[in-house]
Amino acid sequence: MRALITGGCGFIGSHLAEALLARGDEVTVIDDLSTGQFENIAHLVGRPGFRFAIETILNETVMDRLVSECDLIYHLAAAVGVELIVSDPVRVIETNIKGTDAVLRIGARYRKKVLLASSSEVYGKSEEVPFHEDADRVLGPTTRSRWSYACSKAMDEFLALAYFRRYALPVVIMRFFNTIGPRQTGRYGMVVPRFVRQALLNQPLTVYGDGQQTRCFTSVKDVVRAVIGLADAPQAVGQVFNIGSQEEVTIEALARRTIALAGSRSEIVFVPYDQAYEQGFEDMRRRVPDISRIKRAIGWEPQINLDGILLEVIADMRQRLEREALQKEERL
Ligand code: UDP
């Protein structure tokens, strides 16, 4: 297969590119490096079957050519991260809505299957856990920037399903829950890389709110396996799938586990949401996926538990910190 990965220099996209190349697919990455990093794919450059374009997916000419030359599109390009959403909502809304509009429009031009990366954020602050794909969504007011991300991703889903119904474009929607692993950056707010970095530097771990909110963290390796499984499954077309683990943990417990596994001397500090994000910030108390649909469709379930992933992230972050220290020394 010839795969096109939008956002292929990002955290999930780069792992997906690696896995597809390993099984013999040809891979083209398009990424404008707005949040992705070239170093995430640097080790793939020169491998047979791999090519990349540093370009925005809004460049119609480039996208037209790349889509016409591929067999299917993994559309992962998006503005992500709660911190980024709150600080730059215009960029988030425009990137997510215009980007997906372009991918679907050009995908339909050449009738290419589109796998769309959506998010558990679309469930909003619903308390009906575990979240089933067909459950109602509960979102806060438009005056709270956070909800713009959920709305932009929901709009992407609506548009993809509309293309499926109206033009029989093969689409598959993937709602990623909290995905973690090596290479993820904490720059845009994600909790695990932030905690691991803080722990390794023996700095205080910043737990937002009372720390009793919960999440289920999934290894990027398990997520990539799910993505490829769905791409290969004709029966997945036209459907929405949750992709996530069901190992629920409070953020305070996550902080304690990170400190223990990293052998850190760090303490925990509690930071009010208003201070961490914006006035009146709303968080979700629990977020757990119902994964019966993807289990039934392709037999997928996660294989790596939280401690296993944390150990991998800690090892990766140690290396990154060492590299950063070396670069600093070289500059001095
Ligand atoms: N969080 C935290 N400290 C941080 C960053 C995030 O306590 O330094 C919390 C955040 O408020 C949320 C959870 O960790 O309750 C997960 O945050 P993340 O941004 O990783 O993902 P989300 O589930 O919010 O999309």
Side-chain angles (χ1 to χ4, degrees):
M1 291 294 259
R2 293 169 305 165
L4 174 63
I5 307 178
T6 73
C9 294
F11 159 56
I12 302 178
S14 63
H15 283 276
L16 176 63
E18 241 168 46
L20 291 173
L21 283 172
R23 73 166 194 172
D25 285 0
E26 285 179 24
V27 173
T28 301
V29 158
I30 179 165
D31 198 305
D32 66 358
L33 301 185
S34 53
T35 55
Q37 298 225 304
F38 188 74
E39 68 176 30
N40 287 345
I41 58 153
H43 62 296
L44 302 178
V45 176
R47 285 243 203 125
F50 181 75
R51 52 182 200 156
F52 65 89
I54 303 304
E55 185 51 89
T56 163
I57 54 173
L58 298 177
N59 182 325
E60 181 93 19
T61 317
V62 171
M63 272 299 277
D64 184 282
R65 183 166 59 78
L66 296 184
V67 170
S68 72
E69 291 168 357
C70 76
D71 298 312
L72 84 168
I73 308 164
Y74 296 91
H75 176 39
L76 271 58
V80 292
V82 179
E83 228 168 84
L84 178 65
I85 294 161
V86 171
S87 65
D88 198 351
V90 173
R91 175 168 155 200
V92 170
I93 297 167
E94 291 198 338
T95 307
N96 294 0
I97 293 188
K98 287 186 188 164
T100 301
D101 169 60
V103 167
L104 290 168
R105 198 163 28 77
I106 303 168
R109 193 175 292 157
Y110 297 101
R111 296 200 70 73
K112 300 294 165 73
K113 187 190 245 189
V114 178
L115 277 99
L116 173 79
S118 183
S119 165
S120 57
E121 189 84 8
V122 298
Y123 294 105
K125 50 187 175 174
S126 164
E127 287 175 3
E128 301 274 310
V129 288
F131 297 149
H132 184 267
E133 288 88 345
D134 297 329
D136 289 341
R137 305 182 302 117
V138 182
L139 302 181
T142 52
T143 43
R144 306 268 182 267
S145 309
R146 177 191 194 137
W147 304 116
S148 66
Y149 180 76
C151 284
S152 71
K153 281 291 173 186
M155 208 54 226
D156 288 353
E157 291 195 15
F158 277 126
L159 196 58
L161 292 170
Y163 269 93
F164 170 67
R165 291 187 189 127
R166 177 75 176 78
Y167 304 110
L169 181 72
V171 302
V172 181
I173 292 163
M174 311 175 291
R175 286 190 186 151
F176 296 146
F177 281 63
N178 294 67
T179 305
I180 58 168
R183 288 185 210 142
Q184 187 175 35
T185 167
R187 207 172 303 146
Y188 308 107
M190 281 75 164
V191 69
V192 167
R194 289 171 61 89
F195 279 3
V196 170
R197 194 180 184 91
Q198 291 164 339
L200 290 176
L201 294 172
N202 292 310
Q203 293 170 352
L205 270 65
T206 50
V207 171
Y208 298 161
D210 64 3
Q212 295 314 297
Q213 69 273 34
T214 72
R215 294 293 187 271
C216 297
F217 295 95
T218 318
S219 163
V220 68
K221 289 189 181 137
D222 279 327
V223 169
V224 162
R225 205 163 39 78
V227 171
I228 296 175
L230 289 173
D232 288 346
Q235 70 275 19
V237 166
Q239 293 196 67
V240 179
F241 294 93
N242 287 335
I243 300 179
S245 108
Q246 294 183 306
E247 188 182 347
E248 193 176 6
V249 63
T250 68
I251 297 303
E252 184 183 350
L254 173 76
R256 297 201 187 284
R257 270 157 97 162
T258 305
I259 290 172
L261 291 171
S264 162
R265 296 189 304 276
S266 293
E267 291 176 351
I268 291 176
V269 290
F270 290 87
V271 182
Y273 283 119
D274 286 2
Q275 222 169 295
Y277 298 111
E278 63 176 352
Q279 232 2 285
F281 180 83
E282 296 178 308
D283 200 7
M284 39 286 276
R285 289 305 277 177
R286 292 180 69 195
R287 181 189 275 168
V288 185
D290 177 329
I291 52 172
S292 48
R293 182 177 288 173
I294 188 167
K295 246 189 219 171
R296 254 195 330 273
I298 58 165
W300 179 87
E301 56 187 337
Q303 289 171 347
I304 310 171
N305 67 15
L306 180 59
D307 282 359
I309 323 170
L310 284 177
L311 286 171
E312 213 187 338
V313 174
I314 289 167
D316 174 67
M317 188 66 79
R318 265 211 181 96
Q319 283 184 358
R320 266 203 266 173
L321 289 171
E322 277 164 21
R323 271 202 307 273
E324 276 174 30
L326 272 177
Q327 282 164 358
K328 216 175 183 179
E329 257 173 46
E330 277 166 15
R331 274 201 302 273
L332 288 175

